[in-house]
């Protein structure tokens, strides 16, 4: 019905004046509903100001859809046609959302690059009309103003934004493998200057209102209001509208000038940037930086630079043309497809699919104040969850307490938290060495040493003091939860919560359920994780669950590759150039060589020769020599010096020599090494899906990318199989299987997909 | 018909309670209240120190009452911005004012309700039977405030004290950088939120839809009423102050009735450019001190004093220091009325502290709002706002000035004086304070 209404009004006025949006087929609708209010965009007059209100009734946030755009233009033509209207304000009536971007489905529905370019050109034309508006238009922003929403706002003559925590401005297109395709690459450099604009479009970083004002991205900020005659959100929106209407009137009366007053620094910068060789230098520098960071695996940033450069050096017309062309190409790229998939996966993994828990987690207790325990504490207390951090010794508690404090104090230094918030958050933390207060805990997370007998010991101790409803969660990275639950009196209350280190930086939380874990236990754990700000995958129980299990064969292969004479540095460069954010040997150092050895041993026992490859004794020897990775200052590399270039650990090289193998030439080329590592990772992931450890490929992709650093440009193991081709992958594996045997035998599910090319993990 | 009207009038003016005296509870009375003239900071008082102003108020109290110094059991005094040399300003001022050195004195601080806290401390001491005569008051001296070295500089200087060798000292001195030299200025800002009070007041006014014009009108009312009271000699709590080396000061100097046109010209002081709180509709930085003599009724009568008023129930409240920083009166008023068993209609005289016109008007609107009562105060319905014809009729902090810690005593003394002058029985004092706190007190006229 909504679309019919909207279409009806579209025919009424816009079709003739704005033929561009009169898409075929809409003319078939009857115009009888013309008098009804519009669905997405409405307006009212306040004196001589048209207050244009947007609201997408179908979504949680406003997105730029074709329908919304056409109604917007229709309203604007009506406003422009009314001589009594001297200015306009555009504001959203949806609480906490301005415009969160263009509708991704609109882009995904396109079949060709040319079609997407068409969308881009439509947007460009629409915003050009707004930019050339005969009356000033004020964008009144509360809530996210992202992507297409930002491009819309910067086409307006003036921008007022609230200081709400929800208000952020950004061009996140690059994070989706796209570019700001509706004039963003052309307007931003003019508005912010070349360096700031490039930073904004290339990083996609979120800009808070105060910073945005300083940069010149917005003109005016409005404070958030507290409760008054109405609730704070409503009061703030009303206030924003009043201020924006006032500004609009002043603009119409020319009481406010649109000319920017430039400071000395700004003038200086402008004059320097006026020199073409300086600009050229900037393009080059930025391009080099992008190449270094992306290894050329992500096309979007390079295209963005090209768009910006074309607009500045060859003029807007050419700039817009290049922008829309590149936008179309990027939208069709596998990288963008992968990144959009990850974005949608993230959204999916931010939901609790297990229902509302019977009891909210008000009190959390953590056993073990080490790196993990304290990390979990930090992401809990800063969400206002009362948390006990228990260790066996006071020194441990102090260390953990200091870690939490430092984590938050760093935020204070970066001004993303006030010192008062830090202090209040710290008041939620109780460091202790006894079990006092555990009787009030709703959930206990253990982060003690990875040893089953120790886990059993603490489980029994904890169960003696906690209340019947309290959940026991284990932050193990490899021990099967059912083995831990074996010691429990109430296995339905036992669950795995596998956090990733450093907990305050890594987004992923892997939750592991056994067949005895109750649904409410899962719902509670997921709810806690979501409150802690985590992306959550819920997987079945088994040795290594999902993430650690994928890592197992990959690391085993990495050790073999090293034994075969590939240096750690070379291995790191091979993996990073494939798209892994951290090289594999560097990753082992970060995780801890001892942890890797431990996991390799455990999983080797559980899965047998399939997990073989490198000699497990190699890592053990490293551990014996004290090369445990970054934490001991030495692993594959030496971490003592603060030099930029990491030094190889000669001790580790000697260990490698002792375990040296001959590399089979047929499968030892650079590309083969990359695919040997990747195919074992991917095969294990697909096997997890086959065995039901994974519920769906989406969680598999999210877990691999956000927990293990699987190349984001590939979108995760499952999307990689889809885009690379299961058959091609199987061919490669067969070739490796001929040399190494069972470790490269493709699993049945992968073989099924290889046989039938129409089968895809992602629709 | 006439009799019906009279009955109605009687009904309308009839009080819920004849008196707030309670059996078994000591009656605490206000015997006298005085204050120095309140001056804009940086004017005639500029070269004094805080305890000088406090001395003037204390001496003025003794002078006016003729009270024997040795009969003062205790002194409680309020201050907000502390002069570090006289951190217990109560004691220094009492000694300097010639009180007995055997009379203990302590200083309290609770932002703009510091002297309210001093007075209620006195009430507590008397009610508990510990004292019979207590002097309370407060002083604020904004002409001089402690400006500190930066923390880094302080740290270096303190280390310098401990450095044993010349080399160590030189290396410490060498570590001083230009940035160390920038001073730290005190701000009227919340520690917890870092927001200045004026900024919070502006947001509060916006949340309650208080317009710039309403605020200017209220500020103009305050100045006009204060001028009238000054001209009619109603501000009799003022005691003249001979400032050393200067004239005798006997009048407040911040009362300046302006015109709406002139006030409209001012730019907003805190929220720029669209804010509504300006210098003209805010209270200004003020120097001043006040003092009151509080006694048990029986002792006062025994010593031959006629009290001015009974100090009855009081409450302190606190709420969110960010969004409800200045709403203390809204929370405190219904609470103290309930405590004393009175209704808003029983009150003849209202004296509310005027921090900002926007703050007063926001409080009045909050008290008139069912939404606010239900959603923020957990009440079933609004309590209602005081009628303006009983409200701050002799001016307020906006016009008379607001020496933070001295205002509370001025409010209480003014209520006592107004009750007497206007023939009312009950008065109510309410005030907001930094930290999101508030206070209210019910005062009952002493029978003539």
């Amino acid at each position: 019905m909504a679309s019919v209404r909207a279409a009806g009004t579209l025919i009424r006025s816009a079709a003739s004046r704005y033929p561009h949006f009169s898409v075929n087929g809409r003319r078939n609708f009857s115009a009888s509903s013309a008098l009804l209010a519009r669905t997405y965009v409405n307006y009212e007059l306040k004196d001589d100001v048209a207050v244009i209100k947007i609201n997408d009734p179908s979504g949680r946030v406003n997105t730029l859809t074709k329908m919304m755009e056409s109604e917007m233009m229709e309203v604007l033509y009506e406003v422009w046609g009314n001589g009594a209207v001297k200015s306009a304000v555009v504001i959203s009536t949806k609480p906490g959302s301005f415009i969160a971007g263009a509708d991704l489905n609109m882009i995904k529905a396109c079949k060709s690059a040319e079609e997407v370019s068409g969308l881009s050109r439509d947007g460009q034309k629409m915003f050009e009309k707004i930019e050339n508006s005969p009356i000033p238009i004020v964008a009144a922003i509360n809530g996210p103003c992202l992507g297409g929403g930002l491009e819309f706002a910067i086409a307006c003559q003036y921008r007022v934004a609230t200081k709400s925590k929800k208000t952020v401005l950004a061009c996140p297109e690059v994070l989706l493998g796209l570019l700001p395709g509706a004039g963003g690459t052309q307007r931003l450099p003019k508005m912010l200057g070349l360096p700031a604009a490039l930073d904004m479009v290339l990083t996609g970083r979120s800009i808070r209102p105060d910073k945005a004002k300083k940069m010149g991205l917005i003109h005016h900020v409005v404070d958030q209001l507290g409760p008054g005659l109405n609730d704070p959100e409503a009061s703030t929106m009303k206030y924003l509208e009043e201020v924006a209407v006032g500004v609009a009137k002043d603009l119409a009366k020319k009481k406010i000038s649109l000319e920017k007053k430039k400071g000395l620094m700004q003038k200086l910068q402008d004059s320097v940037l006026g020199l073409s060789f300086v600009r050229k230098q900037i393009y080059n520098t930025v391009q080099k930086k992008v190449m270094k960071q992306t290894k050329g695996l992500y096309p979007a940033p390079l295209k963005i630079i090209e768009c910006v450069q074309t607009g500045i050096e060859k003029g807007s017309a050419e700039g817009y043309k290049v922008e829309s062309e590149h936008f179309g190409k990027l939208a069709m790229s596998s990288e963008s497809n992968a990144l959009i998939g990850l974005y949608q996966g993230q959204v999916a993994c931010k939901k609790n699919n297990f229902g509302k828990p019977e009891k909210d987690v008000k009190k959390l207790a953590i056993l073990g104040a080490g790196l993990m325990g304290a990390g979990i504490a930090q992401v809990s207390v800063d969400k206002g969850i009362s948390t006990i951090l228990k260790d066996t010794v006071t020194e441990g508690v102090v260390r953990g307490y200091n870690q939490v404090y430092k984590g938050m104090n760093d935020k204070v230094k970066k001004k993303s938290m006030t010192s008062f918030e830090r202090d209040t958050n710290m008041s939620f933390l109780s460091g202790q060495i006894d079990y006092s207060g555990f009787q009030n805990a709703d959930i206990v997370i253990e982060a003690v040493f990875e040893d089953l007998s120790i886990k059993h010991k603490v489980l029994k101790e904890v169960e003696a003091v906690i209340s019947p409803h309290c959940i026991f969660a284990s932050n193990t990275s490899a021990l099967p939860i059912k083995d831990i639950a074996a010691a429990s009196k109430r296995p339905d209350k036992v669950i795995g919560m596998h956090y990733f280190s450093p907990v305050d930086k890594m987004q992923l939380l892997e939750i592991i359920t056994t067949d005895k874990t109750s649904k409410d236990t899962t719902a509670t754990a997921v709810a806690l994780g979501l409150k802690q700000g985590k992306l959550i995958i819920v997987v079945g129980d088994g040795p290594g669950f999902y993430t650690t299990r994928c890592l197992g064969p990959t690391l085993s292969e990495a050790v073999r590759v090293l034994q075969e004479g590939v240096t750690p540095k070379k291995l790191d460069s091979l993996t990073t150039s494939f798209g892994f954010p951290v090289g594999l040997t560097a990753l082992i150092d970060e995780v801890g060589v001892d942890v890797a050895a431990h996991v390799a041993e455990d999983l080797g026992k559980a899965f047998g020769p399939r997990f073989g490859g490198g000699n497990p004794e190699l890592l053990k020897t490293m551990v014996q020599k004290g090369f445990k990775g970054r934490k001991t200052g030495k692993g594959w590399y030496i971490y003592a010096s603060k030099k930029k270039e990491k030094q190889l650990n000669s001790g580790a090289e000697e260990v490698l020599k002792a375990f040296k193998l001959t590399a089979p030439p047929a499968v030892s080329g650079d590309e083969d090494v990359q695919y040997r590592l990747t195919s074992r990772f991917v095969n294990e992931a697909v096997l997890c899906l086959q065995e039901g450890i994974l519920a769906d490929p989406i969680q598999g992709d999210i877990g691999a990318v956000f927990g293990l650093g699987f190349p984001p440009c590939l979108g995760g193991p499952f999307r990689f199989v889809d885009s690379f081709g299961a058959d091609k992958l199987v061919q490669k594996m067969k070739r490796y299987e001929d040399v190494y045997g069972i470790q490269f035998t493709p699993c049945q599910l992968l073989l099924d997909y290889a046989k039938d090319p129409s089968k895809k993990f992602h629709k | 018909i006439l009799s019906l009207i009279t009955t109605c009038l009687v009904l309308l003016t009839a009080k819920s309670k004849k008196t707030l005296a309670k059996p078994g509870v000591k009656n605490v009375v206000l015997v006298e209240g005085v204050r120095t003239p309140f001056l804009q900071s940086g004017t005639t008082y500029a070269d004094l120190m805080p305890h000088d102003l406090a001395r003037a108020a204390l001496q003025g109290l003794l002078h006016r009452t003729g009270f024997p110094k040795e009969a003062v059991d205790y002194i409680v005094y309020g201050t907000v911005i502390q002069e570090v040399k006289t951190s217990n300003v109560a004691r220094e001022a009492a000694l300097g004012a010639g009180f007995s050195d055997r009379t203990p004195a302590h200083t309290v601080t609770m932002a703009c309700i510091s002297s309210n806290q001093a007075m209620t401390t006195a009430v507590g001491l008397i009610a508990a039977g510990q004292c019979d005569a207590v002097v309370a008051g407060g002083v604020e001296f904004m002409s001089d405030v402690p400006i500190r070295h930066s923390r880094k500089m302080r740290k270096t200087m303190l280390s310098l004290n401990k450095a044993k060798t010349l080399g160590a000292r030189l290396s410490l001195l060498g570590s001083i950088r230009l940035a160390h030299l920038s001073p730290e200025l005190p701000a009227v800002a919340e520690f917890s939120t870092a927001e200045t009070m004026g900024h919070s007041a502006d947001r509060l006014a916006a949340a309650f839809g208080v317009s710039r014009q309403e605020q200017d009108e209220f500020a103009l009312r305050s100045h006009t009423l204060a001028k009238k009271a000054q001209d009619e000699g109603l501000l009799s709590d003022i005691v003249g102050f001979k400032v050393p080396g200067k004239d005798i000061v006997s009048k407040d100097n911040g009362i300046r009735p302006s015109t709406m046109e002139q006030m409209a010209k001012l730019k907003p002081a805190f929220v720029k450019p669209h804010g509504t709180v300006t210098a003209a509709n805010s209270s200004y930085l003020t120097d001043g001190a006040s003092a009151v003599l509080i006694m048990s009724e029986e002792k006062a009568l025994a010593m031959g004093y006629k009290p001015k008023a009974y100090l009855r129930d009081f409450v302190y409240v606190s709420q969110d220091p960010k969004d409800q920083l200045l709403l203390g009166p809204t929370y405190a008023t219904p609470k103290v009325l309930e405590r004393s068993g009175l209704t808003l209609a029983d009150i003849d005289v209202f004296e509310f502290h005027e921090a900002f016109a926007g703050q007063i008007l926001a409080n009045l609107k909050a008290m008139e709002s069912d939404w606010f009562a239900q959603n923020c105060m957990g009440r079933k319905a609004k309590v209602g706002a005081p009628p303006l014809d009983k409200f701050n009729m002799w001016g307020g902090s906006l016009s008379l000035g607001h020496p933070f810690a001295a205002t509370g005593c001025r409010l209480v003394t003014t209520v006592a004086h107004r009750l007497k002058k206007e023939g009312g029985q009950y008065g109510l004092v309410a005030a907001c304070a930094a930290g999101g706190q508030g206070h209210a007190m019910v005062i009952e006229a002493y029978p003539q």
Side-chain angles (χ1 to χ4, degrees), chain A residues 50 52 54 64 72-73 76 80 87-92 98-99 123-141 145 147-161 169 182-184 187-188 191 216-219 244 247-248 251 258 260 320:
Chain A
I52 302 172
I54 47 179
L64 279 180
M72 174 61 74
M73 284 322 289
L76 281 173
W80 287 332
S87 58
V89 166
V90 178
I91 192 166
S92 158
F98 182 66
I99 301 175
Q124 289 173 349
K125 280 179 200 155
M126 169 175 168
F127 293 157
E128 205 175 354
K129 288 210 162 65
I130 291 173
E131 187 175 34
N132 297 327
S133 164
I135 56 168
I137 303 175
V138 178
I141 303 160
C145 172
L150 181 93
E151 292 177 289
F152 176 80
I154 59 172
C156 295
Q157 282 67 37
Y158 209 81
R159 285 160 295 284
V160 182
L169 298 100
R187 279 192 192 91
L188 281 170
M191 189 175 282
L217 188 59
I218 58 174
H219 300 85
V247 164
L251 280 169
L258 285 171
K260 258 198 297 185
Y320 280 123

Side-chain angles (χ1 to χ4, degrees), chain A residues 220 223-226 230-231 420, chain B residues 192 199 203 207 273-274 323 371:
Chain A
H220 195 128
D223 287 294
Q224 249 187 314
L225 299 184
N230 210 330
D231 70 86
F420 186 75
Chain B
S192 61
H199 196 277
R203 288 197 302 114
H274 59 270
D323 289 331
W371 187 91

Side-chain angles (χ1 to χ4, degrees), chain A residues 163 220-231 235 239 243 420, chain B residues 192 199 202-203 206-208 271 273-274 323-324 365 369 371-372 376:
Chain A
K163 283 194 199 172
H220 195 128
V221 288
V222 174
D223 287 294
Q224 249 187 314
L225 299 184
L229 298 175
N230 210 330
D231 70 86
S235 295
Y239 187 40
V243 172
F420 186 75
Chain B
S192 61
H199 196 277
D202 205 316
R203 288 197 302 114
F208 283 95
V271 175
H274 59 270
D323 289 331
Q324 305 190 22
K365 293 202 180 194
S369 160
W371 187 91
F372 191 83
C376 297

